[in-house]
């Protein structure tokens, strides 16, 4: 396969997603990368087919074209190539909850680049949502309210790893200027300007709304396919509907600190003795 400056492009769904064929990432030219980057900004996630012979060095080099490559804090890495994380369905690699990668960091990743090496005969698709469309489909009063809020994002893995960050509920994309909803079911704990029960109610609505099928695409993998998603404006969900092994390798590119409007209210302070009983997936951070 030779690199083509004008690859073939097929849109995956109306909301987001573009599939690219006719590119060999091992011999990627500047012109071909520019085309990939343009399509990523336009469609939020791109899928590059036919990369069965991709060298680890080329996978890492593709990530470095976007920015600094991350060394993941707790997932297993490929021997000799610590920039590459191993995703294995037999070793904790099934994440069937809608999420945006690592929003618990102060500067979450901007781009993730996943190549699947082994795929189930059936099942194992990945779904993505366009969080720009989600924000734009909210009513004007609700958008105005959310623009003035922040959210706390948290992860705790026993005593091994803990991270916490506060980000705008609505972030502004640093390259396109589009606004997107920036909360997710896996890592967003609460909105600190609201009481905990108010926060739970608002977040549950936003989670359910953002997961609506009208905002999604669904990709059927073939071994060697690469997915590149813009972590600043998407969520994703690995569909857990298979029994066969699903294995891949991922490179993640460090991002900037999410920016949006300044919060318009101070953090909520609970009254003495006020109690809260969590009923949400991520309620690990108390206040």
């Amino acid at each position: 396969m030779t690199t083509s400056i004008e690859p073939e492009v097929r849109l995956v769904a109306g909301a987001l997603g573009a599939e690219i064929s006719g590119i060999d990432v091992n011999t990627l030219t500047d012109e071909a990368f520019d085309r990939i980057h343009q399509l990523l900004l336009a469609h939020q996630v791109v899928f590059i087919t036919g990369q069965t012979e991709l060298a680890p060095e080329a996978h890492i080099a593709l990530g470095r074209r976007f920015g600094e490559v991350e060394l993941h804090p707790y997932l297993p890495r490929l021997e000799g190539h610590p920039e590459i994380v191993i995703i294995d369905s037999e070793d904790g690699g099934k994440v069937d909850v809608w999420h945006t990668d690592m929003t618990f960091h102060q500067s979450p990743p901007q781009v993730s680049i996943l190549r699947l090496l082994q795929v189930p005969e059936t099942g194992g698709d990945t779904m993505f949502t366009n969080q720009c469309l989600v924000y734009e489909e909210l009513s004007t009063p609700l958008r105005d309210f959310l623009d003035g809020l922040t959210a706390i994002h948290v992860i705790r893995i026993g005593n091994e790893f803990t991270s916490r960050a506060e980000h705008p509920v609505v972030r502004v994309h640093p390259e396109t200027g589009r606004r997107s909803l920036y909360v997710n079911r896996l890592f967003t704990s609460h909105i600190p300007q609201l009481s905990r029960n108010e926060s739970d109610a608002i977040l549950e609505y936003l989670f359910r709304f953002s997961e609506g099928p009208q905002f999604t695409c669904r990709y059927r993998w073939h071994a060697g396919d690469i997915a590149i998603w813009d972590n600043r404006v998407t969520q994703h969900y690995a569909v857990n509907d298979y029994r066969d092994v699903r294995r891949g390798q991922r490179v993640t590119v460090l991002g900037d600190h999410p920016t949006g409007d300044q919060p318009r209210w101070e953090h909520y302070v609970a009254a003495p003795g006020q109690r809260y009983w969590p009923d949400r997936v991520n309620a690990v951070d108390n206040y």
Side-chain angles (χ1 to χ4, degrees):
M1 182 188 297
T2 59
T3 298
S4 170
I5 295 176
E6 290 297 331
E8 181 180 347
V9 177
R10 179 187 70 86
L11 298 187
V12 177
L16 75 165
E19 185 181 71
I20 308 170
S21 56
I23 283 180
D24 183 354
V25 175
N26 282 309
T27 58
L28 192 66
T29 65
D30 291 342
E31 293 83 359
F33 172 74
D34 289 344
R35 180 62 171 146
I36 292 170
H37 192 195
Q38 291 166 4
L39 289 167
L40 181 64
L41 293 178
H43 301 288
Q44 291 76 47
V45 56
V46 297
F47 308 94
I48 307 176
T49 64
Q51 307 303 305
T52 55
E53 303 300 322
L54 182 68
E57 295 80 4
H59 192 173
I60 297 166
L62 175 57
R64 286 180 174 152
R65 284 181 177 267
F66 288 99
E68 182 182 354
V69 171
E70 180 218 38
L71 299 179
H72 199 281
Y74 59 86
L75 290 178
R77 306 175 191 171
L78 183 64
E79 185 176 356
H81 300 281
E83 303 90 345
I84 297 178
V85 163
I86 298 171
I87 306 296
D88 189 335
S89 63
E90 302 298 292
D91 187 23
K94 293 183 177 182
V95 186
D96 49 348
V97 179
W98 281 106
H99 67 286
T100 300
D101 285 336
M102 293 181 278
T103 57
F104 48 79
H105 282 323
Q106 294 296 327
S107 299
Q110 59 165 302
V111 170
S112 297
I113 306 171
L114 173 65
R115 180 172 71 117
L116 285 194
L117 309 175
Q118 186 175 351
V119 299
E121 184 175 347
T122 57
D125 299 355
T126 303
M127 299 180 68
F128 296 85
T129 67
N130 181 340
Q131 295 298 103
C132 293
L133 280 183
V134 169
Y135 173 77
E136 291 160 4
E137 288 296 317
L138 294 170
S139 67
T140 300
L142 185 52
R143 290 200 306 268
D144 181 67
F145 175 57
L146 297 176
D147 284 339
L149 300 174
T150 60
I152 304 298
H153 300 250
V154 181
I155 188 173
R156 291 197 181 102
I157 303 177
N159 296 320
E160 302 172 14
F161 180 77
T162 300
S163 186
R164 183 182 190 273
E166 183 173 351
H167 300 307
V169 168
V170 178
R171 72 174 296 179
V172 178
H173 196 287
E175 295 181 79
T176 68
R178 292 183 74 183
R179 290 177 179 262
S180 63
L181 187 66
Y182 197 64
V183 295
N184 70 91
R185 191 179 291 277
L186 187 56
F187 299 126
T188 305
S189 170
H190 62 276
I191 296 171
Q193 291 83 16
L194 306 179
S195 74
R196 191 62 198 243
N197 287 318
E198 291 169 343
S199 170
D200 283 357
I202 291 291
L203 285 176
E204 185 58 33
Y205 172 76
L206 295 175
F207 295 154
R208 289 182 180 275
F209 185 70
S210 67
E211 295 160 9
Q214 70 272 31
F215 305 121
T216 70
C217 74
R218 180 167 178 154
Y219 190 72
R220 170 63 182 148
W221 292 89
H222 298 88
D225 288 349
I226 288 177
I228 307 174
W229 61 91
D230 190 333
N231 205 56
R232 299 164 291 192
V233 293
T234 60
Q235 292 190 55
H236 56 283
Y237 180 105
V239 181
N240 184 8
D241 62 346
Y242 59 95
R243 296 183 180 275
D244 300 332
V245 175
R246 183 180 185 268
R247 291 194 176 100
Q249 298 176 351
R250 190 183 75 196
V251 167
T252 301
V253 182
L254 294 173
D256 56 356
H257 189 72
T259 59
D261 291 355
Q262 290 297 313
R264 300 204 298 270
W265 302 276
E266 299 294 329
H267 284 198
Y268 176 83
V269 178
Q274 185 174 2
R275 305 177 72 183
Y276 167 73
W277 290 268
D279 58 1
R280 287 214 13 260
V281 171
N282 189 348
V284 298
D285 204 44
N286 295 319
Y287 73 108

